[in-house]
Amino acid sequence: MDANNRIQTLRLLKNLELVGITFIRDYIQFLFEDPLLNTYTLPQVKILDRVLHFNQKGYYDTLCSLIGRRVIDAIENNENIVIRFEGDIDLTISLKLEDRSTVEAAMLRLEADGQWTIW
């Protein structure tokens, strides 16, 4: 899938509510009203002017605080996927090769029986 199609797919998260998060050994699943986002490159979360990384105190609590919030916007640029939530909270997934622990940085499935979009 080309970059324009990935960007359009990502934008379909807009106005959806995050309903759950699953922490799996080395990645995180974000469950929206139907779409599922797996992040293999662990995201950073920015709340107001504070940025938290996965090894910092408060990281998991801040991620869990996203449950029940709606997505305001979801964008991709050459270096990141950024999902902006209500309450001025950004979830940023790096697309840089040096930040990846696997070939994929993230995978998004819009429907339960749908295809995966891969970054």
Side-chain angles (χ1 to χ4, degrees):
M1 182 177 283
D2 69 18
N4 287 332
N5 287 337
R6 286 194 318 263
I7 291 168
Q8 293 304 319
T9 299
L10 190 61
R11 289 199 181 274
L12 295 175
L13 294 177
K14 192 172 180 177
N15 296 318
L16 296 181
E17 181 181 333
L18 182 68
V19 297
I21 298 175
T22 303
F23 298 97
I24 301 167
R25 183 179 302 198
D26 54 357
Y27 68 100
I28 301 172
Q29 287 186 329
F30 295 89
L31 178 61
F32 295 88
E33 292 172 45
D34 188 30
L36 178 67
L37 175 67
N38 290 344
T39 59
Y40 303 105
T41 300
L42 297 180
Q44 67 180 25
V45 60
K46 179 182 176 205
I47 182 165
L48 302 173
D49 61 349
R50 184 173 180 212
V51 177
L52 294 169
H53 300 272
F54 76 95
N55 58 352
Q56 292 180 301
K57 184 177 182 177
Y59 176 78
Y60 295 100
D61 291 336
T62 303
L63 285 181
C64 288
S65 77
L66 296 175
I67 296 170
R69 293 182 189 265
R70 293 208 172 273
V71 174
I72 302 300
D73 202 4
I75 61 169
E76 174 194 346
N77 58 41
N78 292 333
E79 296 185 348
N80 300 303
I81 294 170
V82 179
I83 302 172
R84 175 158 291 141
F85 289 88
E86 297 172 315
D88 199 24
I89 302 174
D90 291 348
L91 186 72
T92 302
I93 305 153
S94 175
L95 299 176
K96 297 177 191 172
L97 290 176
E98 60 268 20
D99 292 336
R100 296 180 185 211
S101 58
T102 64
V103 175
E104 297 88 5
M107 294 174 59
L108 175 64
R109 186 189 70 205
L110 293 177
E111 300 172 5
D113 60 348
Q115 295 182 349
W116 290 90
T117 301
I118 302 170
W119 284 266

